[in-house]
Amino acid sequence: MLRLRPFRQRQLPLTDRWFADADTQRWLGGPGWPGLILDLHKRPLGEYRGAVETGRYSWLAWDGDTAVGYVGCDTYDRCTTWDGSPDGRGVVKTLPVPTANLSYVVDPALRRQGYGTSIIAALMASSQITHVSLFVAGVEPANTGSISCLLKNGFQPLDPAPDWEGTVYYAGERI
């Protein structure tokens, strides 16, 4: 059974290979990304793209004694759609519900085995974020593996057209 456990600084070596992977770097970030995320957890909560931060969470997903992936989410008081293009208007739409913006990665050696789908499901069921009713993930259209994981968890695009950064945002509600 897949379990989420808090991601700690001492566990960074477990993720080194994952973030050295070309696909992980393309879609999420390179080797320094996990450390930056953990450092961000030490900073005060603030505002991001018109929403007030209510929490920051990072977990490693474990299948028995094996770390199989990472999932993190920042939680907000609302969901906002942001236009930051050169002629951008800032916040263009707001959904007034507690929201989590999630990111995740599966160990490259273990991809296409259902872990991504299971990690998202475990996050949505986490007792630490029961106040969240809407989960959102931004995905580039070419990242078909990630899109498949989201669709299997009931997520749908908020808008099927990519935004100003080339990202489509998928949303799923807590069941």
Side-chain angles (χ1 to χ4, degrees), residues 43-62:
R43 297 183 186 167
L45 298 174
E47 186 176 318
Y48 181 71
R49 294 186 174 185
V52 176
E53 289 181 295
T54 59
R56 296 185 189 120
Y57 306 87
S58 292
W59 295 278
L60 288 182
W62 295 83

Side-chain angles (χ1 to χ4, degrees), residues 4 19 27-28 33 37 41 48 55-59 70-76 78-79 98-106 115-126 129 132-140 143 145-151 153-156 158 167-174:
L4 299 182
F19 286 87
W27 305 125
L28 189 56
W33 192 85
I37 293 301
H41 286 267
Y48 181 71
R56 296 185 189 120
Y57 306 87
S58 292
W59 295 278
Y70 161 86
V71 63
C73 71
D74 297 333
T75 58
Y76 299 92
R78 71 195 90 175
C79 177
T99 301
N101 185 13
L102 58 112
S103 57
Y104 48 92
V105 65
V106 172
Y115 285 118
T117 301
S118 296
I119 288 170
I120 294 166
L123 171 74
M124 293 176 76
S126 172
I129 54 173
V132 171
S133 56
L134 185 68
F135 296 83
V136 178
V139 184
E140 291 84 356
N143 190 346
S146 184
I147 293 167
S148 175
C149 293
L150 293 166
L151 293 174
N153 277 288
F155 284 61
Q156 293 297 314
L158 289 171
T167 302
V168 174
Y169 287 87
Y170 288 78
E173 295 183 65
R174 181 180 299 281

